[in-house]
């Protein structure tokens, strides 16, 4: 016989299972990166991401990316339903290769930035942001 | 969307060759397309999918946006100002609307 406690545990289990499609798979992240790099090698470092260690509200998390000498920077949220966040393409009028924006994070996850350098090489940075209240609607 | 309103913050003054910080914000829901309304129907996606800033005819930043950009998209970046000129800011909406804002800037 199911007790009230069992029923609630069951409900939690169902909730957990239905949440899973809401998280981008690792391959979706890899696909987004290779679409940006064309499959080229990506080295670690050279990309700075400034983000809060803990974001209370996932609906609006301030993020700043900078990669000196980068032509463009791809920003991804590895744990969102869709990993794409933004791509910044810096033109000849840009003063730096830096940009800041505010993003939605569905939960605690890594924010990844891939920079395309002027010499055609690619660099990667990542930072984990802990999110208290997720920001993907739902 | 009828309530879309861009806001720009530029420094008061700059010297030739300075790098100046530009802050932009536009009021927009940035509807992700992942949410459902009270009756369980999907609310269709409607976001600003691209933002550009040009200064003196040169591209400064051309940004591609996805639904993970927060409502009322805020973008901050740096511009090298060699001469006085005009800033042109443009936002592109999923529904085909284009919102534009221009501002003259004096280099002292």
């Amino acid at each position: 016989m199911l007790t009230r406690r069992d029923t609630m545990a069951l409900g939690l289990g169902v909730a957990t299972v239905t949440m899973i499609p809401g998280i981008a798979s690792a391959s979706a992240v890899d696909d987004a990166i290779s679409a940006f790099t064309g499959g080229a090698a990506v080295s670690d470092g050279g990309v700075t991401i400034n983000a809060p260690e803990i974001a209370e509200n996932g609906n609006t998390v301030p993020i700043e990316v900078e990669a000196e000498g980068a032509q463009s920077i791809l920003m991804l949220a590895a744990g969102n339903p869709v990993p794409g966040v933004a791509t910044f393409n810096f033109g000849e009028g840009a003063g730096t290769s830096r940009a800041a924006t505010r993003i939605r994070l569905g939960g605690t996850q890594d924010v990844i930035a891939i920079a395309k350098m002027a010499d055609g090489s690619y660099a990667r940075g990542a930072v984990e942001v802990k999110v208290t209240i997720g920001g993907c609607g739902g | 969307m009828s309530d879309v309103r861009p806001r720009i913050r530029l420094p008061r003054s700059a010297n030739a060759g300075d790098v100046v910080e530009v802050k932009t914000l536009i009021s927009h829901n940035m509807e992700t397309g992942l949410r459902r309304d009270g009756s369980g129907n999907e609310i269709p996606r409607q976001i600003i999918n691209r933002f550009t800033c040009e200064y003196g005819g040169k591209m400064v930043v051309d940004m591609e946006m996805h639904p993970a950009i927060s409502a009322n998209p805020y973008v901050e970046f740096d511009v090298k100002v060699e001469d006085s000129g005009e800033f042109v800011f443009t936002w592109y909406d999923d529904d085909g609307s284009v919102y534009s804002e221009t501002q003259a800037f004096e280099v002292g």
Side-chain angles (χ1 to χ4, degrees):
Chain A
M1 195 186 121
L2 284 172
T3 64
R4 185 180 130 82
R5 189 164 291 170
D6 289 339
T7 316
M8 288 191 56
L10 206 65
L12 267 179
V14 170
T16 312
V17 168
T18 53
M19 289 281 286
I20 288 168
I23 296 171
S25 60
S27 70
V29 174
D30 291 344
D31 288 352
I33 293 174
S34 51
F36 181 71
T37 62
V42 180
S43 59
D44 271 321
V47 184
T48 310
I49 306 175
N50 288 318
E53 205 173 306
I54 299 174
E56 275 184 25
N57 182 358
N59 277 309
T60 175
V61 183
I63 304 277
E64 181 185 56
V65 288
E66 180 163 22
E68 206 183 324
Q71 287 179 337
S72 46
I73 302 178
L74 169 75
M75 192 191 287
L76 301 171
N80 272 359
V82 181
V85 176
T87 307
F88 300 96
N89 299 296
F90 301 102
E92 53 174 336
T96 61
S97 296
R98 178 192 78 94
T101 186
R102 295 174 189 149
I103 73 170
R104 292 171 168 143
L105 294 176
T108 297
Q109 59 182 280
D110 285 340
V111 174
I112 300 169
I114 310 287
K116 182 185 186 188
M117 298 305 180
D119 65 1
S121 67
Y122 292 89
R124 179 184 187 279
V127 65
E128 192 195 40
V129 181
K130 293 189 170 68
V131 177
T132 317
I133 304 166
C136 279
Chain B
M1 286 183 66
S2 53
D3 56 342
V4 175
R5 197 167 67 86
R7 276 181 279 171
I8 310 295
R9 175 168 273 182
L10 299 171
R12 282 228 181 104
S13 63
N15 295 318
D18 278 1
V19 171
V20 301
E21 189 179 83
V22 178
K23 296 176 175 183
T24 71
L25 189 134
I26 189 163
S27 51
H28 194 286
N29 283 344
M30 297 293 278
E31 189 58 58
T32 60
L34 300 171
R35 298 196 309 148
R36 287 172 188 276
D37 64 16
S39 357
N41 304 311
E42 253 175 46
I43 305 172
R45 167 182 142 152
Q46 195 193 342
I47 68 165
I48 288 173
N49 55 56
R50 184 180 173 210
F51 163 74
T52 63
C53 170
E54 289 176 49
Y55 182 70
K58 288 182 185 169
M59 185 59 78
V60 174
V61 66
D62 184 343
M63 176 185 180
E64 183 188 312
M65 294 188 180
H66 295 280
I69 296 293
S70 301
N72 306 325
Y74 169 83
V75 188
E76 180 190 311
F77 48 90
D78 303 309
V79 184
K80 185 153 195 177
V81 290
E82 301 283 6
D83 301 297
S84 297
E86 193 177 55
F87 278 102
V88 181
F89 304 93
T90 316
W91 292 262
Y92 299 84
D93 195 305
D94 272 349
D95 73 359
S97 308
V98 176
Y99 318 108
S100 199
E101 178 85 1
T102 59
Q103 268 189 36
F105 189 72
E106 290 274 323
V107 172

